[in-house]
Structure formats: structure tokens, C-alpha cells
Amino acid sequence: MKLENADWLTAPEVQSLMARFEEAGHEILAVGGCVRDTITKGFVRDIDLSTSARPEEAIHLIEAAGHKAVPTGIDHGTVTAVTPFNDIEITTFRKDVETDGRRAVVAFSDSIHEDAIRRDFTMNALYAKRDGTVLDPLYGLEDLKARRIRFIGDPLERIREDYLRILRFFRFFAHYARPGDGIDPDGLAACALLSEGLEKVSRERIGAEVLKLLDALDPGPAFAAMEASGVLARILPGATARVLPRLLHLESQYPIEGRMIPPRDRIARLASLGGQDVPERLRLSKADSQRYHLMRVEAGLATGPGELAYRHDYWTAIHTLMLRWAVLEQPFDETALGAAQRGADAKFPLRAGDLMPDYQGPALGARMKELEARWVASDFTLDRKALLR
């Protein structure tokens, strides 16, 4: 088959760059996600090329094509071509020499087959020529069309090469599979058997994978499979996937006219799982950690939608409310949306100077908080004059 509507492949920068490699006698192919996503989604974020040229030669050819070459991972054969169209990663064909479950020692290769068999899933071992012709050395097209997430060769061997592939297995299932068809039993069994190996993977890498998984339209079946296999308990002790489907259902009920997808919030979804020391275990950013703790606390309180939106913002309030309703098994309350919008738009009508000189220091701060609380309780209806009175 040939790639259809692959604007990224027909871009002049990509075509001229690939042509430069071919003129020098090297094979160069688009590979992995850009090929896979062109077939399944029709849009591509990152462009990866694979070549028989060694890294030093790749740098020379990139510069000869008029682009800047950055040796982003030259020890592993990767050079980035910085072009006006996009940054393009170009990696020499490789084969694994030694692996320890975290990183691999690689040797460069001239064989597309050797390059393909070291990849994780069959749908990621797809290549495309400059004219769009797809090369499928491991029969990944059949799996891609059937939306099957299947390890290349022996799942146990692929996982032992990099234990993060356990989480990638569930992430790809969430993003690409048809959940009704079920998860690949051999892959799931291998993930369960080798889940202890995730202890070797850095928390930063685990956190990045979990957040990507949470971004899926429906990550519920993937997390249910993770819980059943023991993988969820391995990375987030005490977590459970039972609340997540209720939260996803509430997300789908948010009334956006003509919406394509429901409003999603990865931190609210993460908070629905529970677990011990989650921000620390996943190495969340400071901002995400703060939102996580806020949502977890407020889900167990009775703070109204207006006050939540006033003190934080509209969407934080909405996702916190949906998390609360999911935990308490309550229905979607559409009346909360108007209250949240009023709170998000509200501006407290008093300034500290309005109470001076009658109040000073700590007494001033306490009085301002008291009046603000009354104003919030009035559903933001008390005006400046009423508050002063």
C-alpha cells in the first residue's frame, strides 16, 4: 500500500532531505509513529526517519541539504535535522547487542529487518519510502488494521529489553485498540509475569507513560487490565480503576454543543485512581501535584461549584465536581455549570482600603476574609455598598 494524504512526507524539506541520502547511496525510510498515525489517524506530530547511513555521514548529508544537524543521540545513532518544516529525527538502522531492561547497547546495521525486530510492537515496525510505499517486514499492517497491540516476537524477550514496554503496551491498547475486541492475552500475561521489572524504570519515565495513557479518549479498559494483571499495584500501590469508568461517563455528559470529544483532564482521571504518594511516585510537576492534591481534597468536601470556580478556575471546578460525583456515585448535575460560571466571572467588590482606618493589620485581613465569605455565600450577589453596610 501507499500512504495517502501524507502532507508531511510530500513536504519539500522532507523530500529533498530523503533524496540527498538516496543520492549518496543510502537507504532512508520514514518509520514508526509517523507511518502508523498516517494510516490510522491522518495526522502526525513527529517525523522519524531510519537510514543505513552512519551518524557522521547523516550529519554531513543533513548539512549538505542546508539544514542544521544536532547530535541529539549520536551514541545510539540519532541525529536531528532542524528544518523550517519540522525537526526530523534520523536514526541509523540498529540492532541490540545487550540490554538490561532500562537501556540497550546497540550496534549499527545495514538491515531493515534487524532494525525492525528490535522495536516493541508490530504496528511500530512499519516503514515508508519517499514515494509513500509502505514496507512491512514483520506483518504489522494486519495488526494495525485489526487494531491489535501485539509484541514483536516473544513478548517476554521484548519486555526484558525495556520494562517500560509494559506500560507502553497498555497505553497503545488505550489509544489504538478496539477495547471490545479484548487485549492480547500473550502480551497481558507477559506484562503480569514481568511487572516487577518496572522497579528498574525511573519514576520520570513511568510518570510520562501514565499521563499519556490518561490522555486517551477511554483509558478505562486499559487501567482495568492493569489492575487485573497487578501492574497498577506495582506502580501505584493502593490504586484502583473502579471509579475511573464513572468519571469517564460523567465527562461524556458535559453539554458542549457539537462537541467532537468530551472535556478531559488527565489529573482528575489520575485522582480517581487513588493510591499512595501518587505525585511523588510519578514525579509530577509542581503544578500538576498541586492540582492533584486540590482535587483529591475537594472531592471529599462540599465546597460549592461557584466557590470552587472563584477560588481556582472554571475547568478546575468542573473536573473536581465530576470527580466528586464519580466517587459518590452521583449523577451529572447540570445546574452546577451555571454556578461555576458565575464564580469564575466574579470579582470581589471590596479592597483593603475600603475598610481602613477602622481595621488594621491582622484584624483587616480577618475582616476581609469574613466579608468575602459572606459575598461567596450570597452567590456573589452582595455589592460593595451592601458589604460595607
Side-chain angles (χ1 to χ4, degrees), residues 309-377:
Y310 167 68
R311 300 197 183 282
H312 307 291
D313 59 68
Y314 177 81
W315 282 113
T316 296
I318 296 303
H319 288 295
T320 300
L321 289 168
M322 288 195 287
L323 175 62
R324 182 189 296 169
W325 299 334
V327 170
L328 299 177
E329 299 187 43
Q330 294 178 337
F332 191 97
D333 181 5
E334 197 163 336
T335 63
L337 305 185
Q341 191 62 64
R342 287 193 297 275
D345 295 339
K347 299 289 187 294
F348 187 45
L350 290 187
R351 297 180 178 273
D354 294 329
L355 303 184
M356 298 171 65
D358 295 338
Y359 293 88
Q360 300 284 341
L364 174 61
R367 185 59 172 165
M368 285 289 287
K369 285 186 178 180
E370 178 189 350
L371 291 173
E372 184 184 39
R374 292 188 185 187
W375 173 70
V376 171

Side-chain angles (χ1 to χ4, degrees), residues 227-248:
E227 184 173 12
S229 64
V231 171
L232 184 59
R234 181 71 63 182
I235 60 172
L236 294 177
T240 176
R242 290 193 296 272
V243 176
L244 180 58
R246 295 199 291 269
L247 176 60
L248 299 175

Side-chain angles (χ1 to χ4, degrees), residues 202-268:
S202 72
R203 293 186 175 186
E204 288 81 1
R205 294 181 75 202
I206 289 175
E209 279 297 321
V210 171
L211 292 179
K212 290 176 184 177
L213 200 167
L214 288 163
D215 285 335
L217 185 62
D218 181 7
F223 274 101
M226 287 172 66
E227 184 173 12
S229 64
V231 171
L232 184 59
R234 181 71 63 182
I235 60 172
L236 294 177
T240 176
R242 290 193 296 272
V243 176
L244 180 58
R246 295 199 291 269
L247 176 60
L248 299 175
H249 177 65
L250 290 164
E251 288 177 356
S252 71
Q253 292 182 287
Y254 186 88
I256 303 178
E257 186 175 349
R259 68 176 185 269
M260 296 297 293
I261 56 175
R264 293 174 278 177
D265 188 285
R266 53 163 57 167
I267 300 303

Side-chain angles (χ1 to χ4, degrees), residues 49-123:
L49 305 180
S50 192
T51 181
S52 59
R54 297 305 187 255
E56 295 77 10
E57 178 68 4
I59 290 174
H60 170 72
L61 292 170
I62 291 168
E63 292 176 343
H67 306 302
K68 180 181 179 181
V70 181
T72 45
I74 196 165
D75 291 341
H76 286 80
T78 300
V79 179
T80 299
V82 181
T83 79
F85 175 70
N86 208 336
D87 290 353
I88 302 170
E89 284 200 352
I90 304 175
T91 303
T92 303
F93 293 152
R94 300 177 293 182
K95 60 182 178 181
D96 288 336
V97 175
E98 182 182 340
T99 59
D100 63 2
R102 289 179 296 178
R103 60 185 67 86
V105 177
V106 300
F108 299 136
S109 170
D110 296 311
S111 166
I112 184 178
H113 183 77
E114 287 184 332
D115 188 73
I117 61 175
R118 69 174 300 275
R119 297 178 181 273
D120 47 12
F121 311 120
T122 56
M123 65 168 54

Side-chain angles (χ1 to χ4, degrees), residues 2-16:
K2 281 196 174 185
L3 297 182
E4 301 292 340
N5 302 318
D7 294 342
W8 58 272
L9 183 58
T10 58
E13 293 87 348
V14 178
Q15 284 288 306
S16 63

